[in-house]
Amino acid sequence: MPLHCLIRQTRIILAPTRKSTGTHIVRRLLSQGKMEEKLVAVIEAKRFVRDCFLAAKVKEENSQAMADLLIEADFRGHFSHGMNRLEMYINDLDKKTTNGNIEPLIMNETPATAWIDGRHGLGVVVGNFCMDLAIRKAKAVGVGWTCAKGSNHYGIASWYTLRAMKEGLIGISMTNTSPLMSPTRSKEAALGTNPLSLGAPAANDDSFILDMATTSVAVGKIEMQKRKNEPIPMGWAQDPSGHATTDASVAFETGCLMPLGGEEVTSGYKGYGLGALVEIMCGIMSGSNYASNIRKWTHAGADQLANLGQCFIAVDPNCFAPGFEDRLGDFNQLLRNLPPSDPEKPVLVAGDPEKAHMAKVEQAGGINYHENQLKTCADLAERLKIKPIQFTK
C-alpha cells in the first residue's frame, strides 16, 4: 500500500501486554470514538491469528503458517491480504471447502519440475510445500518449477518469492483467483486479479521484490475502502453497466475490476494480457479451475471448492553470469538516483514501500489497523471463544 495512503488512514495500533477488558467493551469504545491509538506487536497479532486457526481445529504447524503469512502481509503494509482475510479463511474451514490439516501430494515429477495436488488444503500449506520443493530442485539442477491444482487463496504472492530469495535464489510466484477482472471491452468478469511476484537477491540486502496484481488494484483494497466508507479512485472498477465507478460499495458488489491500465485507451489491454498469462501458467497448466469456472470467494458461490492453480519457480542466478547480486544492487541504485519529477517523491524500486513500512512498524513497536478491522477481530474472538487482541496504552 502506498505510504501516502497509510499516512492518511486513521488507524489503531495493536500491542501485546495489557490484559483485555472484553470484546464488548472494545467494540463500544471503538464505535463511540473514545479509544485512543494503541499498538499490537507483531508477535501478538500472530498469536491472535494462530489461536483463531487452532480454535477452527487446524493443527499447530499449519495454524502458525497462517499466522506468519497473514501478519507478514500487514507488517509489509499489504493490509488487504492480512487480518482482512482472516474471517474468510475461517469461514472456508467451517464450510469444509478448505481442509486445514491435509498435506499436498506430488502427482508427477522430474529433476526440475513437479505437478502437485493441493487436495484443497490451506493455500499457504500448498504454497510453502511447492516453493520449498522448487528451491530444492533449483539447488540441485539450477531451476525448480512446480505447479499446483486444488489449492486455496495463498496470501501475498511475495511470501513465496521471499522464501526463495532467502536461499540466494530468484523466486517467481503466481496464482489464479476468483473471476474479478473484466477483460478489455467486457462488462463481465472472467479473469482473477491474478497476481505475480518476483523476488531477486541483491548485494547489501538491497533486494528487488515485485508483488503486483494484474488488475488495477487487488479486490482487498476495495474492501478496505468499503470498510472505511471512502471512495475508490477512477479506473479501479466498473459498475454494472461497465462504466468506471468511484463508489467502493458499488465496485465491491459488482465484482468487476479493471485490468492494470484501466480502460482500453490507457492500455488496459496490457493488464488483461498479463492476467491471461498468469491464468495459462496456473489454471491451464495445473489442471485446476480457471477463469470464470472459479468460484467468487467474496461473493455468491463462496461455498464451493476453490480449486485454484498456482505456479512457483526458483532459479539459481549462479548458473548464469557471475556477479548477479552486485549488478542488481547497482541497477537498483541507478533507478533510485534518477532525478524525480517531484522533489518530495523520490524514485523507488519494487520493495522500497514495504521496507519503509516495516521500518515504521518496528519504530512504533506495532502494526496499525483500521478500527473497523479491529471490530471484525473482536467479533471473531467472541465467535471462536479465544482471547481477543490485547491492547495497551
Side-chain angles (χ1 to χ4, degrees):
M1 179 179 290
L3 293 179
H4 66 276
C5 293
L6 295 170
I7 292 169
R8 271 206 314 268
Q9 290 182 18
T10 301
R11 301 184 192 281
I12 292 178
I13 313 172
L14 300 171
T17 55
R18 188 180 177 95
K19 186 176 180 182
S20 170
T21 56
T23 57
H24 64 289
I25 296 176
V26 170
R27 286 200 303 274
R28 188 176 73 244
L29 291 174
L30 285 169
S31 65
Q32 293 173 350
K34 294 181 179 179
M35 220 170 177
E36 59 188 75
E37 287 193 350
K38 303 197 174 183
L39 288 175
V40 181
V42 169
I43 191 171
E44 166 64 6
K46 287 185 178 182
R47 189 281 305 166
F48 177 75
V49 173
R50 186 188 68 246
D51 285 358
C52 285
F53 283 95
L54 288 172
K57 310 301 182 186
V58 174
K59 63 183 180 181
E60 172 72 32
E61 179 184 359
N62 293 355
S63 294
Q64 188 62 54
M66 284 301 317
D68 292 341
L69 169 75
L70 295 185
I71 303 311
E72 181 70 16
D74 290 338
F75 180 45
R76 300 179 72 82
H78 295 289
F79 288 96
S80 59
H81 281 60
M83 287 276 200
N84 183 55
R85 286 277 172 259
L86 176 57
E87 186 176 22
M88 297 176 74
Y89 284 112
I90 297 299
N91 290 343
D92 277 356
L93 291 166
D94 285 349
K95 291 180 289 192
K96 302 190 184 308
T97 56
T98 298
N99 187 322
N101 299 305
I102 204 77
E103 296 299 323
L105 178 67
I106 298 174
M107 305 287 287
N108 191 22
E109 188 173 16
T110 72
T113 65
W115 175 42
I116 292 138
D117 184 356
R119 302 169 71 196
H120 307 294
L122 289 164
V124 71
V125 174
V126 179
N128 286 348
F129 179 92
C130 291
M131 183 51 90
D132 288 350
L133 181 56
I135 289 168
R136 292 197 298 272
K137 290 178 179 295
K139 288 184 175 181
V141 299
V143 62
W145 189 312
T146 62
C147 201
K149 69 170 186 173
S151 191
N152 280 286
H153 191 275
Y154 78 168
I156 53 172
S158 55
W159 173 256
Y160 308 98
T161 56
L162 284 165
R163 213 170 176 88
M165 199 183 71
K166 289 172 184 175
E167 298 294 326
L169 305 172
I170 298 169
I172 300 173
S173 166
M174 58 189 83
T175 180
N176 65 10
T177 73
S178 299
L180 289 165
M181 178 202 290
S182 55
T184 301
R185 302 185 180 183
S186 170
K187 65 178 183 178
E188 291 186 6
L191 293 173
T193 58
N194 290 13
L196 57 89
S197 174
L198 181 141
N204 302 316
D205 197 31
D206 186 21
S207 303
F208 182 98
I209 308 170
L210 175 70
D211 188 343
M212 55 171 276
T214 54
T215 47
S216 289
V217 68
V219 68
K221 292 191 176 181
I222 292 178
E223 289 178 86
M224 295 301 292
Q225 294 302 100
K226 184 170 176 280
R227 280 185 188 276
K228 295 180 291 179
N229 296 315
E230 293 181 7
I232 61 172
M234 186 68 72
W236 276 18
Q238 297 178 181
D239 63 19
S241 68
H243 296 107
T245 180
T246 59
D247 188 314
S249 293
V250 169
F252 182 78
E253 292 304 321
T254 305
C256 215
L257 306 181
M258 288 186 170
L260 183 64
E263 297 179 286
E264 185 172 4
V265 69
T266 52
S267 301
Y269 53 85
K270 295 181 180 179
Y272 168 31
L274 282 174
L277 179 153
V278 171
E279 194 67 71
I280 292 167
M281 300 288 279
C282 295
I284 305 300
M285 187 174 288
S286 73
S288 71
N289 287 346
Y290 54 87
S292 53
N293 296 320
I294 302 173
R295 67 168 187 184
K296 278 202 171 184
W297 195 31
T298 53
H299 295 70
D303 57 346
Q304 302 168 8
L305 292 173
N307 189 18
L308 298 183
Q310 290 155 358
C311 179
F312 306 85
I313 303 168
V315 180
D316 185 352
N318 295 312
C319 292
F320 305 94
F324 175 86
E325 293 192 8
D326 288 335
R327 287 198 309 281
L328 179 55
D330 179 65
F331 170 72
N332 288 342
Q333 286 303 108
L334 185 155
L335 296 177
R336 291 192 190 99
N337 290 333
L338 291 171
S341 56
D342 181 345
E344 299 298 317
K345 296 180 180 179
V347 177
L348 302 178
V349 171
D352 285 351
E354 289 84 353
K355 289 174 186 175
H357 188 268
M358 289 186 286
K360 181 181 177 183
V361 169
E362 288 175 345
Q363 183 178 9
I367 302 174
N368 290 328
Y369 287 101
H370 190 272
E371 62 185 76
N372 289 345
Q373 178 63 68
L374 296 179
K375 290 178 185 177
T376 299
C377 289
D379 289 338
L380 194 57
E382 201 166 83
R383 165 185 162 187
L384 296 174
K385 296 179 171 54
I386 64 167
K387 183 170 76 171
I389 288 172
Q390 299 295 283
F391 298 95
T392 171
K393 291 183 180 178

